[in-house]
Amino acid sequence: MAEYKLTYFNLKGRGELCRLLFVLADKKYEDHRLEREEWKDIKPSMPLGQVPVLTVGKTQIPQTGAIIRHLAREFGLYGKNNMENTMVDVIIETIDEVRAEFVKWVKEEDATKKAEISKKLKEEVFPKFITFVEKMLLVNGGQYLVGNEVTLADVAVFDVISRVSDMWSQDLMNMSTVLKAHCEKIASIPSIKAWLENRPKTARFFHLTKMAEYKLSYFNFKGRGELCRLLFVLADKKYEDHRFEREEWKDIKPSMPLGQVPVLTVEGTQIPQSGAIIRYLARDFGLYGKNNMENTMVDVIVETIDEVRSEFIKWVKEEDATKKAEIINKMKEVVFPRFITFVEKVLSDNGGEFLVGSEVTLADVAVFDVIARISDMWSQDLMNMSTVLKAHCEKIASIPSIKAWLENRPKTAR
């Protein structure tokens, strides 16, 4: 029996979904809530200097997505096979996109810009999300979002809808009778109902048994599709590498589940969201670790990379020379050093051979991919910032199948 401790601020935020999973599974845990003034003393003891952090025995797990997936796997709330796991991931990552847009509204102080964001939320973001959830429910029979019983996906949708509605001026549940009925069903689960009535009053604030046929749809460049391709190469799996040019996108876009790519098609089932895709492939190819904790540590690495990529994209998109220089300075002095230090520590803690477990996983390939591509686009070679990281990336690049791919892959824009 694991001993759990969840460390987060004394508010709902990113910690509430974790708590709901404990409640739904009827699992005891220490709900370690922090006040703002306590944070400066506790921050140094957190793996990435941020919360939430889940402590299981002596292991600290940062990154919200990694935590909720770990708990869902432990508690039987993550689906019953790889495809169900993946559809849960699709929901989680779609929610992350909605949350990211909503956070912009929360943080914006300029009234005019806030009104513009609110308009986008009302007219684009929320309707798109609600339509997608309604379709997921319908395709799955209308009872639950994934499989034939409640999963992390159902609780996550309920959590984001109820908390956004709590902070926003419009009740999202009333935008859809289907969504409202589903959220009310989750809220009426006895353990959830009791938690909602008695929780602390705080600030607001798809697995296939036969050989799968794969098709990866993405633009004709590296981007978010390259890590998927590297996983196919590493696992020596055949797939259709469906590449298209920018001018073709307008005709292809309507056929994509969320109007975006990459999309992985597995025997007719479309899987959007790059994070869901790479996890599906890693699970299918045996590149996701050998147990729940290893799965979770892979998630930690992947989500930490997502944070680095997010900062780097700011630099790519920024056109103002002064602001671009400021972003570069932040990346050089804060973002990359923190990431490199963390990867070095994970390698050291795991014996120095691989990031997770005793063989190559998604985590190793993902680190190589992000370092190689940022170095390719940036003026400084990130691998030369760390002899440890450079040696690790060179090891991944020297795997025969990876080496052959790097030498012969299509020459495209960065």
Side-chain angles (χ1 to χ4, degrees), residues 338-355:
R338 185 180 83 154
F339 173 64
I340 290 169
T341 298
F342 181 65
V343 173
E344 288 179 331
K345 184 176 187 302
V346 173
L347 268 170
S348 176
D349 289 349
N350 195 48
E353 186 72 10
F354 298 104
L355 284 162

Side-chain angles (χ1 to χ4, degrees), residues 87 89-95 125-139 145 157 206 256-259 270-273:
M87 294 314 298
D89 285 342
V90 168
I91 295 291
I92 295 302
E93 293 191 42
T94 304
I95 287 172
V125 178
F126 294 141
K128 175 183 172 184
F129 173 63
I130 289 169
T131 298
F132 181 65
V133 172
E134 288 179 330
K135 182 180 178 182
M136 288 280 290
L137 275 168
L138 180 62
V139 168
L145 283 161
V157 166
F206 303 35
M256 298 294 104
L258 288 165
Q270 289 181 308
I271 305 171
Q273 297 290 10

Side-chain angles (χ1 to χ4, degrees), residues 43-50 52-53 60-62 300 338 342 345:
K43 183 176 180 179
S45 65
M46 299 293 102
L48 287 165
Q50 59 192 34
V53 166
Q60 288 182 310
I61 304 170
V300 169
R338 185 180 83 154
F342 181 65
K345 184 176 187 302

Side-chain angles (χ1 to χ4, degrees), residues 211-251:
M211 183 61 71
E213 295 180 2
Y214 306 99
K215 175 182 177 180
L216 180 69
S217 297
Y218 193 63
F219 296 106
N220 187 28
F221 53 70
K222 300 183 183 76
R224 287 186 173 270
E226 195 64 9
L227 178 53
C228 307
R229 299 177 184 128
L230 285 168
L231 293 176
F232 280 114
V233 167
L234 180 60
D236 192 24
K237 298 290 184 178
K238 292 183 179 181
Y239 71 108
E240 180 184 345
D241 190 6
H242 176 212
R243 295 169 179 250
F244 46 87
E245 305 300 331
R246 286 289 186 184
E247 56 268 23
E248 300 177 84
W249 175 232
K250 65 180 183 300
D251 297 322

